[in-house]
Amino acid sequence: MIYDHTGRRKYLTIKERQAFIDATRRLRPEAHTFCLALAYTGARISEILALTPERIDTEAGIIIIESLKKRRRGVFRAVPVPRDFLQQLQSIHDLSAAQSSPTLRAERIWSWGRTTAWSLVKRGMISANISLALTTPKALRHAFGVGAIQKNVPLNIVQKWMGHSRISTTAIYADAVGEEERTLSARMWR
């Protein structure tokens, strides 16, 4: 569900998501790229922490994420990301060198744990003046889903990118009130 038991939304709006992205520029470069990876892929925090250089395909413009919520290992999904983000990963994490090294290519890009990762996301969100109730990595995941649906990305593609087994799980993001729905409702009041 994208609303909690009191009816408050559990996702960031497109504007809040952008404010978060802008605010994370003030973090150290490695923390900034970690936060961008969460925002641009809609992946779970554990999935981004498990990301290795060999799973970044700069030529194809995708990040290959292992779906860690599945009942078995080795289930991957490819998520397209902005080219400038891939360039940031390249320059900050020296991907070319890491990808050509037999040992480094399979090492995690971000070596910190979940607690540190959570605190970095929270720090970025507080810096962006986002409501405390929304200062979680899950709010970024929800924002990715809602944003994709509001930009008319087909539901089955969003399902694939987010790694959902069932389309009904992805369909919850269609419940968010987007620009199109606000435009339609505005016609009623003219």
Side-chain angles (χ1 to χ4, degrees), residues 39-103:
Y40 289 147
T41 64
R44 297 169 183 91
I45 199 166
S46 303
E47 293 171 335
I48 295 301
L49 284 173
L51 194 60
T52 62
E54 66 188 345
R55 297 214 184 109
I56 298 181
D57 188 336
T58 53
E59 190 64 35
I62 58 174
I63 292 181
I64 301 154
I65 297 168
E66 184 172 13
S67 295
L68 297 179
K69 202 169 176 188
K70 305 294 181 189
R71 297 191 192 278
R72 60 183 169 26
R73 300 291 312 253
V75 177
F76 296 94
R77 65 186 189 271
V79 181
V81 294
R83 291 273 177 200
D84 62 328
F85 172 55
L86 292 170
Q87 290 168 350
Q88 286 179 326
L89 284 173
Q90 173 61 32
S91 64
I92 293 167
H93 300 282
D94 197 10
L95 283 184
S96 294
Q99 288 172 335
S100 57
S101 163
T103 22

Side-chain angles (χ1 to χ4, degrees), residues 115-135:
T115 304
T116 301
W118 264 78
S119 68
L120 291 170
V121 171
K122 191 169 194 87
R123 191 177 318 148
M125 291 201 184
I126 289 170
S127 179
N129 294 317
I130 293 170
S131 164
L132 276 179
L134 294 173
T135 58

Side-chain angles (χ1 to χ4, degrees), residues 19-29 32 124 126-129:
F20 169 75
I21 289 169
D22 294 341
T24 63
R25 286 187 178 98
R26 296 188 285 272
L27 299 174
R28 66 183 192 271
H32 176 60
I126 289 170
S127 179
N129 294 317

Side-chain angles (χ1 to χ4, degrees), residues 142-157:
H142 288 322
F144 178 87
V146 168
I149 297 298
Q150 289 179 350
K151 296 291 184 178
N152 298 317
V153 176
L155 204 56
N156 65 314
I157 300 298

